[in-house]
Amino acid sequence: MAKRKNPYGMQNYTKSDKVAKIIEQKILSREYKVGQQLPTQDEFADFFSVSTRCIREAFKTLEAKGLIEIGQGKRGTVKSDNLDILIENISASMINKSITNHKLISDLLEVRMNLEVSAARTLSRLSDREFTVKALYAMLTRLELLVQGLEKNADIRMIKEVKDLDYDFHTMIMHSNNNVILNTILNDLGPQLKKVLEETEESVAELKRKTLDYRYLVDAIRDGNTDLAVALTLTVTSNMKTKIDKLDF
């Protein structure tokens, strides 16, 4: 495999997490198809310029999500090109009292990240995406105005509206896929996740950087730049997951 620059912005991930996420997206986008053997661990190590140990850890992550199975010679084969197994595990976690809230929320964020990346990819390729793009721009413009207002006065009502708009922005992207099953899952898991997101503190500077990333994201979706849309979606969702993973709740 020829080496190429990593297109995914995941600065806060470990090397094995980054590798796993990139391979995962190739599977979910069906670049690697079900039943197909993946490149060897040595080939992946050379491609990503990492150790074979890093690749082994990435493979274990993908296997745990039900996306690959590891056979003889530690070579992976694509087992599934969707997140059904991961979602089943999340559902089990929700009714298993031995699972901590922190673990559950982390899993919910992982689900949201994968659903949103898939939705952003699909949306950027839709011929009739103009209506959704206009709605996203409208929400983003309001969000930017609110953030500017927070620089002058940290009003509680404005903060709540910022949180609501932020959540609705991501939800609109995810609902744009028009997948009834995934949207049902999102509706079921959303309220628990939204509650935690509402309690997450962000400075005005952080909000300004995030809204700028959002604008770049909507621009990429509007222009049909799928690779950039995927990269930016991974960046904004993984940044939030990293922030919440550090919380003590």
Side-chain angles (χ1 to χ4, degrees):
M1 294 190 306
K3 292 183 181 180
R4 62 172 178 166
K5 185 178 179 181
N6 175 4
Y8 300 97
M10 298 178 288
Q11 297 88 339
N12 296 315
Y13 275 44
T14 65
K15 286 184 179 180
S16 63
D17 286 338
K18 290 178 181 179
V19 169
K21 183 59 64 178
I22 293 170
I23 298 173
E24 176 181 314
Q25 290 308 316
K26 288 179 178 292
I27 293 172
L28 296 178
S29 65
R30 296 177 175 82
E31 184 173 335
Y32 293 138
K33 296 177 172 56
V34 173
Q36 179 180 345
Q37 274 198 331
L38 297 174
T40 66
Q41 293 187 13
D42 286 337
E43 289 173 330
F44 267 137
D46 180 62
F47 177 65
F48 289 111
S49 298
V50 297
S51 67
T52 53
R53 178 180 178 181
C54 175
I55 301 300
R56 286 197 299 272
E57 291 173 354
F59 272 25
K60 288 178 181 178
T61 298
L62 295 168
E63 186 177 41
K65 290 185 177 182
L67 293 174
I68 72 171
E69 53 186 3
I70 303 173
Q72 294 182 347
K74 304 297 183 181
R75 189 160 184 172
T77 301
V78 179
K79 181 179 180 181
S80 174
D81 58 12
N82 59 63
L83 296 167
D84 289 351
I85 293 177
L86 174 61
I87 292 168
E88 287 177 9
N89 291 338
I90 297 295
S91 299
S93 297
M94 293 176 70
I95 61 175
N96 187 341
K97 298 184 185 300
S98 66
I99 302 296
T100 65
N101 287 337
H102 197 291
K103 175 66 167 63
L104 175 58
I105 293 301
S106 181
D107 286 346
L108 292 179
L109 283 165
E110 182 73 18
V111 169
R112 188 180 89 157
M113 181 160 47
N114 283 283
L115 295 182
E116 190 165 350
V117 167
S118 177
R121 178 188 295 108
T122 300
L123 179 58
S124 70
R125 294 171 174 171
L126 288 178
S127 58
D128 58 346
R129 61 184 179 276
E130 183 178 357
F131 176 81
T132 302
V133 168
K134 286 183 177 179
L136 289 171
Y137 274 130
M139 295 173 66
L140 180 55
T141 298
R142 176 58 181 164
L143 185 59
E144 289 168 336
L145 289 172
L146 286 168
V147 172
Q148 290 175 13
L150 288 176
E151 289 185 291
K152 302 176 182 178
N153 178 28
D155 182 88
I156 294 178
R157 289 172 297 181
M158 290 176 65
I159 294 174
K160 184 180 186 308
E161 188 174 353
V162 166
K163 293 290 186 181
D164 288 343
L165 271 172
D166 192 0
Y167 184 82
D168 291 343
F169 178 86
H170 291 278
T171 301
M172 177 168 286
I173 292 176
M174 287 183 279
H175 276 312
S176 69
N177 59 37
N178 292 321
N179 185 308
V180 175
I181 296 175
L182 293 184
N183 287 340
T184 299
I185 292 168
L186 177 62
N187 291 336
D188 290 342
L189 302 182
Q192 299 178 62
L193 183 56
K194 185 177 182 181
K195 183 177 179 181
V196 174
L197 293 173
E198 287 175 345
E199 297 172 357
T200 305
E201 294 184 2
E202 294 177 279
S203 68
V204 173
E206 287 176 318
L207 288 170
K208 290 179 73 173
R209 286 195 297 271
K210 185 164 69 172
T211 55
L212 183 60
D213 284 339
Y214 287 178
R215 187 159 288 279
Y216 290 148
L217 170 57
V218 181
D219 287 347
I221 291 173
R222 178 200 62 195
D223 296 339
N225 192 336
T226 301
D227 286 344
L228 182 57
V230 166
L232 288 168
T233 304
L234 279 168
T235 295
V236 297
T237 55
S238 63
N239 285 346
M240 180 54 69
K241 185 175 187 301
T242 299
K243 192 177 185 68
I244 291 180
D245 280 346
K246 292 178 180 178
L247 295 178
D248 184 17
F249 58 88

